[in-house]
């Protein structure tokens, strides 16, 4: 099985497809999913402190023989741990829960909302200073953000000493994210598509089904392949072992320009659809 990789500006490489784990909290289920995923060739595992599954992931990884250096573990700091000191504490807590010495990638889960915090720029800048410190201390091999829009990135880059390596944003057919994607591409920031299947909601779209019949691939595979050809990292979540296999078998076909354009033109379809400027602080 071929697995494409993408290199960050610091030369760290990330697999272009990984496993999303939001809403998988059950330990035996996590063990089954991770065992199957690793044997199928998945190496990137996306988690977050807020998913409350870091310990389940640690247990599942511990039961397998894949070496630590072959894995790419990505975690996120939650909104309640923003700021220079707290983000560092939160990271150390996550490292303990995951039973690892370092993370391959650590992300700010949400920017501070401008609706709630008049000083959102300073909060994000201060949290980023803590991320930079973790990077310099070697506890995390790469650092980035999630759900940052162009204005969040522009402000952050005014004070950042290390540019974010990645921005994880909701992106799937029906949510092209053209503006953020173009901005990130122009500034050397890689994009990772969360909810690359639109949280399952886009899979019944008739254009996707038409292309899927023509290619002899499932609608999910078409969504993921579209993401791969857009140059982004995709992290679909499933607890179904057959779908795990389906979701990784996307490196043996190509969507042509016409098919890519048809998918680009699918009208808006919100999957999770949270606007980070509107977001109410949850949790
Ligand atoms: N940074 C953020 O704020 C953020 C936000 C959202 C998500 N994420 C990350 O992105 C990951 C993926 O996003 P997501 O979990 O929202 O949704 P997703 O991966 O877009 O879709 C998952 C849904 O699609 C179903 N599914 C998976 N593969 C399928 C297939 N081949 N055919 C049909 N249905 C399929 C799953 O059901 P089954 O499990 O029953 O198969 C589940 O209901 C998350 O797990 C998380 O790691 C990050």
């Amino acid at each position: 099985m071929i697995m494409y990789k993408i290199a960050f500006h610091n030369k760290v490489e990330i697999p272009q497809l990984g496993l999303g784990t939001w809403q998988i909290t059950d330990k035996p289920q996590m063990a089954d999913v991770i065992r199957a995923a690793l044997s199928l060739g998945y190496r990137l595992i996306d988690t977050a402190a807020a998913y409350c599954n870091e310990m389940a992931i640690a247990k599942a990884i511990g039961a397998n023989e894949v070496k630590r250096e072959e894995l790419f573990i990505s975690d996120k700091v939650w909104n309640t741990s923003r700021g220079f000191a707290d983000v560092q504490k939160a990271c150390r807590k996550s490292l303990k829960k995951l039973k690892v010495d370092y993370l391959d990638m650590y992300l700010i889960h949400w920017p501070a909302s401008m609706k709630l915090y008049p000083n959102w720029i300073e909060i994000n800048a201060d949290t980023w200073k803590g991320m930079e410190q973790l990077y310099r201390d070697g506890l995390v091999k790469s650092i980035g953000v999630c759900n940052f829009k162009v204005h969040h990135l522009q402000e952050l880059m005014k004070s950042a000493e290390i540019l974010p390596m990645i921005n994880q944003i909701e992106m799937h057919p029906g949510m092209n994210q053209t503006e953020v994607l173009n901005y990130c591409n122009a500034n050397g920031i890689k994009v990772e598509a969360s909810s690359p299947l639109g949280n399952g909601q886009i899979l019944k779209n008739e254009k996707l089904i038409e292309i899927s019949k023509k290619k002899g691939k499932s609608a999910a595979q078409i969504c993921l392949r579209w993401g791969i050809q857009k140059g982004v990292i995709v992290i679909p979540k499933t607890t179904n072992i057959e779908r795990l296999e389906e979701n990784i078998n996307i490196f043996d076909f190509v969507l042509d320009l016409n098919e890519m354009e048809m998918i680009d033109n699918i009208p808006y379809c919100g999957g999770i659809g949270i606007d980070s400027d509107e977001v109410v602080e949850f949790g």
Side-chain angles (χ1 to χ4, degrees):
M1 209 277 315
I2 310 163
M3 172 64 74
Y4 299 171
K5 287 191 173 179
I6 287 190
F8 296 141
H9 64 66
N10 65 344
K11 309 274 188 286
V12 167
E13 290 189 334
I14 181 171
Q16 209 181 348
L17 178 131
L19 176 69
T21 67
W22 179 37
Q23 294 174 324
I24 313 178
T25 47
D26 181 69
K27 278 191 181 161
Q29 187 176 51
M30 185 68 88
D32 289 346
V33 171
I34 289 197
R35 186 186 318 111
L38 293 178
S39 76
L40 285 164
Y42 287 79
R43 291 294 179 267
L44 159 60
I45 299 171
D46 180 82
T47 185
Y51 300 169
C52 300
N53 62 12
E54 291 158 312
M55 281 152 81
I57 290 174
K59 193 157 188 255
I61 289 172
N64 285 275
E65 285 180 1
V66 177
K67 290 190 190 110
R68 171 68 188 94
E69 58 271 26
E70 285 178 33
L71 293 170
F72 192 104
I73 302 177
S74 172
D75 206 339
K76 312 182 191 85
V77 59
W78 187 238
N79 304 347
T80 43
S81 300
R82 292 194 181 110
F84 181 76
D86 283 1
V87 69
Q88 293 182 70
K89 263 189 234 155
C91 181
R92 286 182 164 82
K93 232 189 224 175
S94 285
L95 286 167
K96 261 195 195 152
K97 287 187 179 171
L98 281 164
K99 296 196 173 144
V100 291
D101 303 331
Y102 68 92
L103 295 171
D104 296 279
M105 188 160 95
Y106 198 44
L107 308 174
I108 297 179
H109 207 145
W110 288 94
S113 162
M114 60 175 66
K115 290 255 160 102
L116 293 176
Y117 302 102
N119 59 339
W120 62 275
I121 295 172
E122 288 74 26
I123 295 174
N124 290 337
D126 193 39
T127 308
W128 190 250
K129 291 277 162 238
M131 300 286 283
E132 291 176 332
Q133 192 59 48
L134 287 165
Y135 179 72
R136 288 194 184 100
D137 290 344
L139 295 182
V140 301
K141 303 286 179 200
S142 48
I143 47 177
V145 295
C146 303
N147 304 302
F148 270 48
K149 295 174 42 171
V150 170
H151 54 272
H152 297 121
L153 289 167
Q154 281 170 331
E155 290 300 336
L156 190 72
M157 282 157 74
K158 285 181 191 164
S159 60
E161 288 172 35
I162 301 167
L163 296 185
M165 282 121 207
I166 192 159
N167 186 14
Q168 185 185 104
I169 48 171
E170 180 172 355
M171 178 176 161
H172 48 79
M175 199 179 283
N176 295 353
Q177 295 279 19
T178 310
E179 193 192 354
V180 189
L181 186 60
N182 287 345
Y183 182 84
C184 287
N185 284 342
N187 286 281
I189 301 168
K190 300 301 175 192
V191 168
E192 181 171 42
S194 65
S195 305
L197 307 174
N199 201 245
Q201 291 176 46
I202 189 68
L203 300 176
K204 291 202 170 73
N205 178 277
E206 57 185 33
K207 288 278 175 230
L208 279 182
I209 292 173
E210 187 187 324
I211 298 171
S212 103
K213 282 186 183 149
K214 189 172 141 209
K215 303 300 259 193
K217 292 282 172 184
S218 70
Q221 288 172 316
I222 301 296
C223 283
L224 298 172
R225 182 70 210 184
W226 174 84
I228 296 289
Q229 288 184 217
K230 289 262 171 197
V232 306
I233 298 124
V234 291
I235 45 167
K237 168 261 167 189
T238 182
T239 51
N240 175 312
I241 307 302
E242 280 169 20
R243 288 175 173 173
L244 268 181
E245 187 167 6
E246 182 183 321
N247 293 348
I248 202 172
N249 283 328
I250 55 165
F251 298 99
D252 60 350
F253 75 105
V254 176
L255 295 166
D256 65 29
L257 283 178
N258 186 38
E259 291 158 345
M260 287 296 285
E261 206 177 300
M262 269 171 77
I263 303 172
D264 286 345
N265 289 330
I266 288 174
Y268 176 82
C269 165
I272 306 291
I274 298 173
D275 181 333
S276 45
D277 283 329
E278 298 296 329
V279 69
V280 175
E281 292 290 289
F282 29 89

